[in-house]
Amino acid sequence: MLQPLSKTMAALAPGAVYLLLAAGIAAAIAFVMPDEVVTWAMFSVAGTLVITAAWLRLALAQDRRRRSRQQETLANFIAHDAAPSFTTDPEGEIGYQNRAAVERFGSRGGQGLARTLAELFADPGAVLRRLQSKAEATGAAREDLVTRRGHLRLSVHRIGSGDFLWRLEDMAERAIGGRGAETISLPMLTVSKGGTILFMNEALRRLVGERVRSLDRIFTDLPLRSGEEHEIKGEDGPVTAVVAQLEGVGGRSEVYLLPIGGPRSAEEGANFEALPVAMLRLSAHGRVRAANRAARGLLGGIEPQTRLADLLEGLGRPVSDWVNDALAGRADGRPEVLRARRGDKEVFLQVTLSRIVENGRAGLLAVLSDATQLKTLEAQFVQSQKMQAIGQLAGGVAHDFNNLLTAISGHCDLLMLRHDKGDGDYADLDQISQNANRAAALVGQLLAFSRKQTLKPEILDLRDTLSDLTHLLNRLVGEKVALSVKHESDPGRVRADKRQLEQVIMNLVVNARDAMPGGGEIRIETDAVHLAENRTRDRVAVPKGDYVAIKVTDTGTGIAADKLSKIFEPFFTTKRTGEGTGLGLSTAYGIVKQTGGYIFCDSVIGTGTSFTILLPAYDAGDESDTPRADGDAAEARTAPRDPRTAAVVPKAEGAPLATKVNRAIAAEATVLLVEDEPPVRAFAARALKLCGYTVLEAESAEEALELLEDADLQVDIFVTDVIMPGLDGPSWVSRALEARPGTRTVFMSGYAEEVFQNGTSPVPDSVFLPKPFSLSELTATVQDLLSR
């Protein structure tokens, strides 16, 4: 994209100085040149440079004057706008604020707009970039946001050649507030975040006797507690009232007062009905005597004399006990979050009970506020924390198990070198090796769930991917199950690891097959999906945008509703003991999440189950910037990879183990082996010595650096673990390379570290060898790297 003119001019400003300097040099050369033709030519060049420099300075000055006039005109235009407004440059730095913006946010000149708006909503940087990109293309853009204090409309207009005008508009102003509140007889006021009273209606002014500016001139027992009794400094003496506080936008609140003790007039009853705060009047027995319109909207209709216990649940003790405590003054006004008993939808309410006396009778006033969104966010947070904790546990277990499996399979390989295939012990050793590989596959599934795999993303057309996979899927489902693949339209392309995506689809198809022991149908469908707005599904927020959907549907037994929330957790299975590991869906979950997508499940007992995967659609405009992965996508995940190219390091295939090792013997070379696990270090050292290498061992990075202090010590290659106590692998190798540049490195790890996840390494001339690895994989990796 071309730079704005003003920015281009600013970039060229230093060039005018350089042109004048060059002109001076040319003129000086002209004076000393003996050739008259050359002299006049140099004078001509100098003159041209001077004219060009003058033009640049003039253009820059005109641009500055134009921008100054533009800013002045704009400032006059928005100075008295009631909505906060800002101007920013293309980098988001604030240039001008109108009066409303200064009053609300303070002076923010020179600061970033994203930092200013961070106090209103989460991740403002992403929102600003999205809107600014639209404004650059179309001239203007706007978006409605839900903030911590209400609804907000953020709009932006492109001004001139590169600046932007931003405007914030609060959309949650309540009709009953402000001057409209003069029409109700209930005392009310509007108060700022700092406690300044912004408005008092006539009823409150009559009660207090004057117009006051601060809450402490009205209430004797601050701070205010919504739903509780407070004492008011009335004109004729203290008055007890129940306070209902309603949070508004910009930190402001509306406070309504329900005086207690005197008979209620018909007008007060009408105002109680129209009050925007949900309230219930309860008898001493906990039965509803009156419910206003807002309360009926939350509870879904209330019959007279209905018990509070029939409307709400989830307290953990009988609601009648809570009512009795409130009547006796033992409930201390603490709010409780309860669930409304209504069948049409799930609603959570925050309820506060306060004791009141009306016409000589004791009763309760219940103040209700909708806490459904709060409970939903809480559930999302708990679910996210649970899955994160399980992922961390899975990653840690995988790391430790891969070290154990490396030692087991490695020493098994060493034993197999000393036995022929005809030897009676060879079969037993082969069983150990095969079962170690099976264990490694299970650990790999844990790594998939914890999203710590080294992916090899490439641009995929799902039609081609499923076409290649269909033959294998037909063999997996057998003859009793009919498999169909359907593409609703051109689903588009995705950027994903082909083998891992195939693994997800195979896992879903195998689960679908197992859910239909008597036979049935499995349908795989793909389609392009556009989400025009953010959506929330299964406690997951899916941002708007373009996606490619993969849907796998079966006609099997279905999954019970109480188990749906657990199906993606490792080791959870609905199958009978011995029929499944419980890692298939957790593997699919991890792969999809690591790819940047989402996976959802819908199921009906006796009807079937449907899994829907949403993967971000690949933008063809970015294709030139995204390298395609090399190599066969079906290659084993345990194969070592070169982090510089993400290419798989070649493995020795198709020969007995002893032959592979003999083939790996190369010229003499010295290997520095650094591994903190003694069994792994012992196996790796023996394997490398069998190939003729000289092996120096160290159990820590610090010990390795001490060995390398000997300048006469020749080391050709480092073989090191990544995670160790003290310095990690990349850190100590980087230090060592300062004195020994060009030394090659093999990094070993039980799971893909963050420094290798994007297919790059912080260390040149290095490869990544994931654990567990076999004897032949280790020796082949070292030999291949040394031969480069």
Side-chain angles (χ1 to χ4, degrees):
M1 185 175 63
L2 293 176
Q3 290 181 316
L5 176 61
S6 58
K7 191 171 183 179
T8 303
M9 295 302 300
L12 291 176
V17 177
Y18 298 143
L19 289 174
L20 289 174
L21 180 61
I25 295 173
I29 294 174
F31 279 113
V32 300
M33 291 299 294
D35 191 323
E36 184 177 354
V37 175
V38 174
T39 298
W40 284 109
M42 294 306 295
F43 274 126
S44 177
V45 170
T48 302
L49 292 175
V50 170
I51 293 172
T52 304
W55 179 85
L56 282 176
R57 299 296 292 180
L58 178 63
L60 181 60
Q62 290 177 342
D63 183 66
R64 286 174 177 169
R65 287 195 296 270
R66 178 188 60 78
R67 286 173 57 84
S68 178
R69 289 195 300 270
Q70 184 183 74
Q71 292 286 349
E72 183 178 356
T73 302
L74 184 63
N76 293 332
F77 179 73
I78 66 174
H80 303 289
D81 190 351
S85 301
F86 305 83
T87 63
T88 66
D89 62 12
E91 283 70 41
E93 183 177 306
I94 296 174
Y96 172 77
Q97 296 173 251
N98 68 352
R99 183 184 305 169
V102 173
E103 290 177 354
R104 184 163 180 178
F105 298 98
S107 178
R108 299 296 181 100
Q111 297 183 15
L113 183 59
R115 178 181 176 185
T116 301
L117 300 185
E119 58 192 64
L120 294 182
F121 54 91
D123 196 15
V127 176
L128 296 178
R129 286 192 297 272
R130 181 167 61 248
L131 288 175
Q132 184 168 314
S133 177
K134 291 181 181 178
E136 287 175 343
T138 63
R142 71 178 185 183
E143 189 168 321
D144 294 339
L145 306 168
V146 178
T147 71
R148 303 181 182 96
R149 296 168 181 164
H151 293 269
L152 179 75
R153 172 167 293 172
L154 178 60
S155 59
V156 57
H157 295 264
R158 187 182 63 214
I159 53 176
S161 58
D163 293 338
F164 297 89
L165 171 64
W166 302 84
R167 187 173 186 272
L168 303 173
E169 181 182 359
D170 293 323
M171 302 174 60
E173 297 288 352
R174 298 183 177 272
I176 197 167
R179 297 297 169 184
E182 296 286 11
T183 61
I184 65 173
S185 62
L186 284 178
M188 72 82 59
L189 59 88
T190 303
V191 61
S192 71
K193 185 177 181 180
T196 301
I197 297 176
L198 305 175
F199 170 76
M200 296 170 57
N201 71 348
E202 178 62 26
L204 182 57
R205 293 196 296 271
R206 287 199 309 266
L207 179 64
V208 177
E210 61 178 331
R211 174 75 169 86
V212 297
R213 292 291 181 182
S214 59
L215 287 178
D216 58 4
R217 297 286 302 276
I218 298 178
F219 299 96
T220 61
D221 49 352
L222 294 174
L224 294 180
R225 297 173 297 278
S226 185
E228 296 188 25
E229 295 180 5
H230 284 267
E231 187 175 90
I232 300 171
K233 300 175 183 178
E235 184 179 20
D236 300 325
V239 177
T240 301
V242 174
V243 170
Q245 187 170 9
L246 199 63
E247 294 292 336
V249 296
R252 291 176 291 175
S253 300
E254 294 172 4
V255 180
Y256 298 86
L257 309 179
L258 280 75
I260 299 172
R264 291 189 299 119
S265 65
E267 187 178 6
E268 285 180 345
N271 286 323
F272 174 79
E273 169 68 14
L275 200 65
V277 181
M279 290 187 174
L280 302 175
R281 297 182 188 272
L282 305 175
S283 70
H285 302 291
R287 293 184 179 273
V288 177
R289 292 169 49 198
N292 67 359
R293 184 185 304 136
R296 294 194 299 273
L298 288 175
L299 295 170
I302 306 171
E303 295 293 332
Q305 297 300 311
T306 301
R307 295 187 310 157
L308 187 64
D310 295 332
L311 297 174
L312 303 169
E313 64 178 355
L315 188 62
R317 59 171 177 152
V319 174
S320 58
D321 291 351
W322 184 38
V323 170
N324 292 334
D325 287 346
L327 283 168
R330 296 190 298 268
D332 66 22
R334 184 177 66 253
E336 300 282 356
V337 177
L338 306 174
R339 184 178 181 273
R341 294 181 184 270
R342 51 184 300 176
D344 56 340
K345 62 179 180 178
E346 189 173 57
V347 176
F348 290 91
L349 302 172
Q350 180 173 292
V351 184
T352 304
L353 294 182
S354 299
R355 186 178 184 275
I356 60 174
V357 178
E358 292 184 312
N359 300 325
R361 293 186 301 174
L364 293 172
L365 182 70
V367 179
L368 294 72
S369 59
D370 191 350
T372 305
Q373 186 177 13
L374 177 64
K375 291 294 290 185
T376 301
L377 290 174
E378 179 184 352
Q380 290 176 0
F381 178 74
V382 170
Q383 178 70 7
S384 174
Q385 290 291 96
K386 181 177 72 173
M387 298 301 273
Q388 181 180 0
I390 295 175
Q392 290 175 344
L393 175 63
V397 168
H399 179 268
D400 293 339
F401 266 79
N402 276 333
N403 275 327
L404 295 173
L405 290 170
T406 301
I408 292 171
S409 61
H411 285 92
C412 182
D413 287 348
L414 291 172
L415 286 172
M416 293 176 73
L417 286 175
R418 302 201 298 266
H419 293 77
D420 294 329
K421 285 189 175 182
D423 195 316
D425 293 335
Y426 190 90
D428 295 333
L429 293 171
D430 188 51
Q431 282 294 317
I432 295 174
S433 179
Q434 290 184 26
N435 283 281
N437 290 335
R438 290 181 59 191
L442 291 177
V443 173
Q445 290 178 301
L446 285 176
L447 288 176
F449 172 78
S450 56
R451 288 170 263 172
K452 294 185 181 295
Q453 297 187 104
T454 305
L455 297 182
K456 187 175 63 172
E458 55 183 302
I459 312 306
L460 302 176
D461 187 319
L462 289 181
R463 294 172 297 184
D464 297 336
T465 302
L466 287 174
S467 176
D468 297 340
L469 193 60
T470 301
H471 179 67
L472 176 59
L473 294 178
N474 279 316
R475 293 177 57 189
L476 283 174
V477 300
E479 298 180 355
K480 293 183 179 180
V481 177
L483 176 69
S484 63
V485 179
K486 181 180 179 182
H487 304 289
E488 293 294 340
S489 60
D490 180 2
R493 296 182 297 170
V494 298
R495 187 171 185 267
D497 185 307
K498 182 178 180 182
R499 180 184 176 277
Q500 295 297 326
L501 184 58
E502 289 173 342
Q503 184 67 47
V504 170
I505 297 171
M506 285 193 291
N507 286 356
L508 296 179
V509 169
V510 168
N511 280 350
R513 177 203 65 189
D514 294 343
M516 301 182 295
E521 180 186 3
I522 300 175
R523 299 189 306 276
I524 303 176
E525 301 168 292
T526 67
D527 198 3
V529 175
H530 174 73
L531 299 183
E533 57 185 15
N534 299 341
R535 292 188 183 178
T536 300
R537 163 82 193 273
D538 296 346
R539 300 172 180 171
V540 175
V542 182
K544 60 184 179 182
D546 293 318
Y547 295 87
V548 176
I550 308 172
K551 192 172 184 180
V552 180
T553 306
D554 65 60
T555 56
T557 55
I559 303 172
D562 60 335
K563 296 180 180 179
L564 277 176
S565 62
K566 302 179 181 179
I567 58 175
F568 294 117
E569 297 177 9
F571 307 113
F572 179 83
T573 179
T574 57
K575 300 176 183 177
R576 291 177 296 186
T577 303
E579 291 186 354
T581 63
L583 289 173
L585 288 179
S586 65
T587 300
Y589 172 87
I591 293 171
V592 171
K593 295 297 287 184
Q594 193 172 2
T595 307
Y598 305 85
I599 182 169
F600 304 105
C601 178
D602 298 284
S603 186
V604 178
I605 292 293
T607 301
T609 302
S610 177
F611 284 90
T612 302
I613 299 170
L614 292 178
L615 298 176
Y618 179 72
D619 185 357
D622 298 333
E623 185 171 1
S624 60
D625 299 328
T626 306
R628 292 176 179 266
D630 299 323
D632 184 3
E635 215 160 351
R637 182 57 52 195
T638 55
R641 297 183 178 277
D642 185 337
R644 298 168 302 172
T645 62
V648 178
V649 176
K651 294 171 58 177
E653 299 289 352
L657 188 58
T659 305
K660 297 176 188 177
V661 174
N662 291 333
R663 185 183 300 166
I665 296 177
E668 290 186 2
T670 301
V671 179
L672 175 56
L673 174 64
V674 186
E675 169 64 61
D676 63 310
E677 288 287 340
V680 177
R681 189 171 68 251
F683 148 64
R686 288 183 58 189
L688 293 170
K689 288 175 182 177
L690 283 174
C691 293
Y693 298 118
T694 300
V695 180
L696 304 174
E697 299 182 42
E699 64 178 0
S700 68
E702 290 76 11
E703 183 179 345
L705 291 174
E706 288 181 10
L707 288 173
L708 294 174
E709 289 177 358
D710 183 359
D712 296 330
L713 181 64
Q714 176 68 33
V715 176
D716 301 288
I717 188 170
F718 302 142
V719 178
T720 177
D721 194 10
V722 174
I723 294 297
M724 295 178 292
L727 288 176
D728 61 17
S731 297
W732 84 259
V733 170
S734 297
R735 290 191 188 181
L737 289 178
E738 294 176 3
R740 298 171 181 265
T743 306
R744 294 169 172 81
T745 307
V746 176
F747 287 109
M748 309 176 293
S749 180
Y751 62 95
E753 306 300 331
E754 291 184 1
V755 291
F756 300 107
Q757 284 183 354
N758 295 323
T760 60
S761 170
V763 176
D765 296 319
S766 64
V767 295
F768 178 66
L769 179 64
K771 297 177 182 177
F773 50 78
S774 66
L775 185 151
S776 58
E777 289 171 351
L778 172 62
T779 55
T781 302
V782 172
Q783 180 192 19
D784 179 71
L785 191 57
L786 285 172
S787 63
R788 294 185 184 180

